[in-house]
Amino acid sequence: MKLMGIWELKKLALRNLARHKVKTILTSLAIMVSVAVYIFLTSWLGGMAIESRRNIVNFEIGAAKLMTNLYFDRIDEMPSYENFMDWEVYRQALSSEGYVSAPRFTFAGTLSSKSGSAPIIFYGVDPAAEDEVLRYVPYVDFGRYVQNGKFEIALGIFAAEKLRIGIPTRILRLELEELIESVALNTQDGNFIRSLYDEAPVSNVLFTVEEKITEGNERLILKRNTSQGDLDRFWDMIIVSGRNDVRINAVIDIKAVPEMIREDRWKGELIPALRSEDIMLVENAYEHIDFLDTYFLVEEDEQKLALVLDAMIRAGYAGAVRHVNQLLDAVVVGVINSPAPLPNGNTAYIPLDVLQDDAGMALEGAITDLIIREKGKPDSRLPGKSESSVVITAALKRGLESMGLIMPDNLGVYTWQDQMKDYLGYEALQTGAPQVLSFLLLLLSFLGISNTILLAILERTKEIGMMRALGMTDKQMIMTYMLEAGFLGFIGSVCGIILGCIINYPMVETGWDFSQMGDLLSGGIGFRTTAVFRSSWNIPVIIGSGIIATLLASCMAFFPTKKAIKKPITDSLRFE
């Protein structure tokens, strides 16, 4: 036999596939399923990660925020004293450059109702601006969103359930009767409220807690087909009864240069924490009184006092922050149930304007952050270069310069990635591990496929011996069977890519609604659960899976062929 070129070896490999149709089809099907499952799993995991990022941007923090640099450095502590004024000017400058923005004042506190209390993160918001920038505002299940000029709160659904505020979606029969007694004015109202609920189905799903049902503790759920008119009527009855009346207990931190500092705190806390260039500035602002062991403030120049205060805040000196307790009475006018977890949790939104004067929190126009998004940006697209920190900062500076102003050095623009570094690291861990696992499953499936290829080569040992006797070299034999296995991988991977895309298409377009599964797992969680997961098109994975499948299948043929050609030709010809 003359030496065969690569083209002749390819034709020989294809003829071998045609001669063994059943094995070719079965092996290709196995590869097809492996590739399709790998594409589906990685696309679904990638889609969940992208959907989570969209929710963060669209429902929680926008593309970027303008805040003081010190506020960002301590953002987990929510230092309300790190705020800034004149946000209307910055908003106007951003608007002239093609960006929309929404002011916020963020603070932590406790919200108390007639049924209990819970720790809450409060956001003072401008309702119109909030609706323009973020997308959670329309997701008010019951009631409405807050309005300017009123001490009103829109509360996350989980906090509302803890505090027993608003319309309960799941409730025990005895609790419902207590609710009816407190809100119903007559028998007709009581019967109306009872008609809105059904008994929750008994769940036999795994992982659910089995409840021993006795008279009075039957679980009831709000009917899913309840009309908006009936919900509004029920909500108004609750508002009138005062069950939604709440009290805010919060501590507002105010920056102020302390009038006096004890010597032990001066030497033990303040001076060691100051930067070397700030020590002289602070020392010159105070005078030490020996017999009192105390340093007294003597500096009167406002500009120097501002520099002293900044130095103390940078050093983290607690004495430069004064804590003021605030008690505010409000009413919950809406319950939020959005696709994102933050607005649904222990979160409350209150109009920013009612917090400005002494009747509120005496903010005097201060905000902690200004949420920023590009005008007309589709919700489906994550922020790109036009919403980066550098581009937005440059746009803000241009807008301010057009008004004859400059951007203060203590302010900075921080993107959503800057604020969510911990989450993105956790996300990479959460999605990376399953992707590695799915790849290992793909690899294991090919190890199983290698057994099929191994058996096929062993069955053709006599054929291998005959071809070697006719003059085919060992290298040509290995190449032929690797090409044959590679063609199997190529056919299977192409079919797998097609199948994977077909399966993935509805997951990309419509997603998978998990709300009904949530109801089953919890024995019926009630009204309007939002839980839709979507996949995404991951082109590198789709193309890469086909290439990897082809190369893996080809490599799987190397070792069994190598083993077969080690046999002497005479033994191969006698092999049965």
Side-chain angles (χ1 to χ4, degrees):
M1 178 181 287
K2 67 177 183 178
L3 287 174
M4 301 175 67
I6 188 67
W7 179 246
E8 286 80 8
L9 294 177
K10 287 181 182 178
K11 291 196 291 185
L12 179 60
L14 289 172
R15 281 199 298 269
N16 287 340
L17 291 178
R19 285 192 300 118
H20 303 88
K21 292 185 179 65
V22 175
K23 289 180 180 178
T24 298
I25 293 172
L26 291 176
T27 307
S28 297
L29 284 174
I31 296 172
M32 177 186 73
V33 171
S34 300
V35 171
V37 169
Y38 179 68
I39 289 174
F40 175 77
L41 285 176
T42 52
S43 297
W44 188 36
L45 290 168
M48 289 175 65
I50 291 173
E51 193 70 17
S52 296
R53 295 182 179 196
R54 286 188 189 126
N55 286 343
I56 289 170
V57 172
N58 294 329
F59 292 87
E60 298 181 12
I61 61 176
K65 285 184 180 181
L66 178 68
M67 61 183 78
T68 69
N69 299 319
L70 285 176
Y71 186 89
F72 175 74
D73 291 340
R74 301 171 187 173
I75 195 167
D76 292 335
E77 303 170 13
M78 290 182 292
S80 56
Y81 58 83
E82 274 304 324
N83 50 56
F84 60 98
M85 315 290 281
D86 302 324
W87 59 267
E88 296 92 343
V89 173
Y90 303 123
R91 190 169 185 231
Q92 183 180 345
L94 287 166
S95 180
S96 67
E97 293 294 322
Y99 294 91
V100 292
S101 55
R104 275 187 174 183
F105 189 90
T106 306
F107 60 98
T110 302
L111 191 66
S112 301
S113 68
K114 292 180 178 179
S115 301
S117 61
I120 300 289
I121 296 176
F122 295 91
Y123 296 104
V125 299
D126 180 296
E130 197 84 356
D131 189 25
E132 185 179 19
V133 177
L134 298 178
R135 300 294 175 259
Y136 73 90
V137 176
Y139 287 89
V140 178
D141 263 2
F142 312 116
R144 59 172 174 80
Y145 196 63
V146 297
Q147 297 175 354
N148 280 329
K150 301 177 181 179
F151 282 92
E152 301 177 341
I153 287 176
L155 193 61
I157 188 169
F158 296 117
E161 289 179 354
K162 288 179 186 177
L163 298 173
R164 295 187 180 181
I165 286 175
I167 298 174
T169 56
R170 302 173 71 240
I171 191 170
L172 299 179
R173 188 178 296 279
L174 282 178
E175 292 175 348
L176 181 63
E177 293 302 321
E178 292 174 4
L179 174 62
I180 291 172
E181 186 177 345
S182 64
V183 305
L185 298 178
N186 50 51
T187 304
Q188 184 180 359
D189 287 344
N191 291 333
F192 162 72
I193 294 173
R194 292 186 190 95
S195 70
L196 302 180
Y197 289 86
D198 278 332
E199 283 196 21
V202 178
S203 176
N204 293 319
V205 182
L206 293 176
F207 309 117
T208 57
V209 178
E210 198 73 30
E211 289 184 344
K212 185 178 180 181
I213 299 175
T214 59
E215 186 176 355
N217 84 330
E218 300 95 334
R219 179 72 65 181
L220 303 177
I221 60 172
L222 190 66
K223 293 178 181 177
R224 283 184 174 271
N225 60 352
T226 304
S227 69
Q228 190 60 49
D230 286 343
L231 289 173
D232 291 341
R233 178 184 171 186
F234 190 10
W235 182 265
D236 290 340
M237 292 167 63
I238 292 172
I239 291 287
V240 171
S241 72
R243 286 180 63 91
N244 278 15
D245 293 346
V246 293
R247 172 163 287 184
I248 301 170
N249 186 350
V251 176
I252 297 300
D253 298 329
I254 301 174
K255 292 189 296 184
V257 178
E259 294 290 334
M260 61 182 71
I261 304 174
R262 294 198 318 267
E263 187 173 8
D264 58 339
R265 297 195 66 184
W266 177 278
K267 294 181 178 179
E269 296 179 23
L270 177 58
I271 298 301
L274 291 171
R275 299 187 308 184
S276 57
E277 59 267 31
D278 292 333
I279 293 176
M280 185 68 70
L281 173 70
V282 173
E283 288 180 339
N284 290 337
Y286 285 83
E287 181 180 347
H288 182 251
I289 307 299
D290 294 333
F291 73 93
L292 293 176
D293 290 332
T294 301
Y295 287 82
F296 285 88
L297 182 66
V298 294
E299 182 63 66
E300 295 181 356
D301 185 276
E302 290 188 2
Q303 290 185 344
K304 289 184 178 180
L305 284 175
L307 295 174
V308 170
L309 181 58
D310 288 342
M312 290 182 173
I313 294 297
R314 275 195 301 272
Y317 179 58
V321 178
R322 190 168 73 246
H323 308 293
V324 180
N325 288 315
Q326 296 282 355
L327 288 176
L328 296 176
D329 291 324
V331 59
V332 176
V333 296
V335 175
I336 297 170
N337 183 18
S338 75
L342 180 64
N344 303 345
N346 283 15
T347 307
Y349 301 88
I350 186 169
L352 182 62
D353 63 344
V354 301
L355 303 177
Q356 298 305 315
D357 55 25
D358 292 337
M361 291 186 170
L363 300 184
E364 298 179 352
I367 64 171
T368 55
D369 46 284
L370 188 67
I371 302 173
I372 303 169
R373 281 236 70 181
E374 187 178 3
K375 286 181 182 177
K377 192 75 170 182
D379 293 347
S380 59
R381 301 172 79 179
L382 288 171
K385 184 178 180 180
S386 61
E387 293 180 300
S388 66
S389 176
V390 174
V391 174
I392 294 176
T393 301
L396 178 57
K397 287 181 177 179
R398 286 196 304 271
L400 290 172
E401 286 173 2
S402 68
M403 294 185 283
L405 302 171
I406 60 172
M407 182 173 169
D409 293 336
N410 68 321
L411 293 181
V413 174
Y414 297 92
T415 64
W416 71 276
Q417 295 103 320
D418 296 330
Q419 300 167 66
M420 301 298 293
K421 282 182 179 179
D422 291 342
Y423 166 78
L424 293 175
Y426 178 73
E427 177 195 273
L429 181 65
Q430 288 293 93
T431 57
Q435 286 178 355
V436 171
L437 180 60
S438 60
F439 180 77
L440 290 176
L441 290 174
L442 176 68
L443 187 60
L444 286 174
S445 67
F446 272 89
L447 290 176
I449 293 167
S450 69
N451 289 331
T452 304
I453 297 173
L454 174 61
L455 291 173
I457 292 174
L458 289 176
E459 288 175 359
R460 291 152 67 181
T461 301
K462 183 180 288 187
E463 179 183 324
I464 291 172
M466 187 178 300
M467 295 175 71
R468 291 172 65 204
L470 291 173
M472 199 168 186
T473 65
D474 292 349
K475 184 177 179 181
Q476 289 175 327
M477 290 299 307
I478 292 173
M479 181 63 71
T480 300
Y481 283 100
M482 287 185 69
L483 285 171
E484 183 178 335
F487 284 131
L488 277 174
F490 178 75
I491 295 169
S493 62
V494 169
C495 295
I497 289 172
I498 295 171
L499 178 62
C501 291
I502 291 173
I503 297 173
N504 202 42
Y505 180 79
M507 288 293 295
V508 172
E509 294 299 316
T510 60
W512 185 2
D513 189 347
F514 276 72
S515 58
Q516 292 185 358
M517 180 181 291
D519 284 353
L520 290 173
L521 289 173
S522 63
I525 62 175
F527 191 75
R528 296 184 189 169
T529 306
T530 304
V532 178
F533 291 157
R534 287 183 172 87
S535 292
S536 64
W537 293 115
N538 194 330
I539 303 302
V541 166
I542 292 173
I543 297 174
S545 61
I547 296 172
I548 290 172
T550 302
L551 293 176
L552 277 176
S554 181
C555 293
M556 293 300 177
F558 176 79
F559 294 104
T561 307
K562 187 76 172 176
K563 184 176 180 180
I565 63 177
K566 284 183 178 179
K567 285 179 174 288
I569 294 177
T570 53
D571 291 347
S572 297
L573 293 172
R574 287 195 296 267
F575 183 82
E576 294 295 340

